[in-house]
Amino acid sequence: MKDKVYKIIELTGTSTSSIENAVNSALKRAGKTIQNLSWFEVVETRGSIEKNQVQHWQVTIKVGFAVK
């Protein structure tokens, strides 16, 4: 097995329903243009508030993918 080299990028996904959907939104979009997505790490979670409730989630992730 060859040793792999990874590149890391940072993305912010958003969702009105959940943190998980915000992460999946970022990964889905990245997958359209980047091959070999391998892992992610949540860096920051934040959101906006309206009428004392969460209105929108924003999740920043680092995504690693193998460089060929």
Side-chain angles (χ1 to χ4, degrees):
M1 177 180 215
K2 287 177 26 178
D3 293 335
K4 294 183 179 182
V5 174
Y6 293 92
K7 179 168 179 70
I8 300 170
I9 59 172
E10 193 167 278
L11 303 168
T12 301
T14 64
S15 172
T16 56
S17 60
S18 72
I19 293 169
E20 184 176 347
N21 283 350
V23 170
N24 283 325
S25 173
L27 294 174
K28 183 176 179 181
R29 177 59 185 90
K32 290 182 179 181
T33 56
I34 300 170
Q35 297 178 358
N36 307 314
L37 296 177
S38 298
W39 55 268
F40 75 93
E41 170 187 356
V42 174
V43 177
E44 184 175 21
T45 305
R46 60 189 169 276
S48 61
I49 303 167
E50 188 174 301
K51 297 181 183 177
N52 300 321
Q53 293 186 334
V54 175
Q55 181 65 30
H56 211 97
W57 292 100
Q58 295 178 332
V59 181
T60 300
I61 59 175
K62 288 184 180 180
V63 180
F65 56 95
V67 178
K68 290 191 172 191

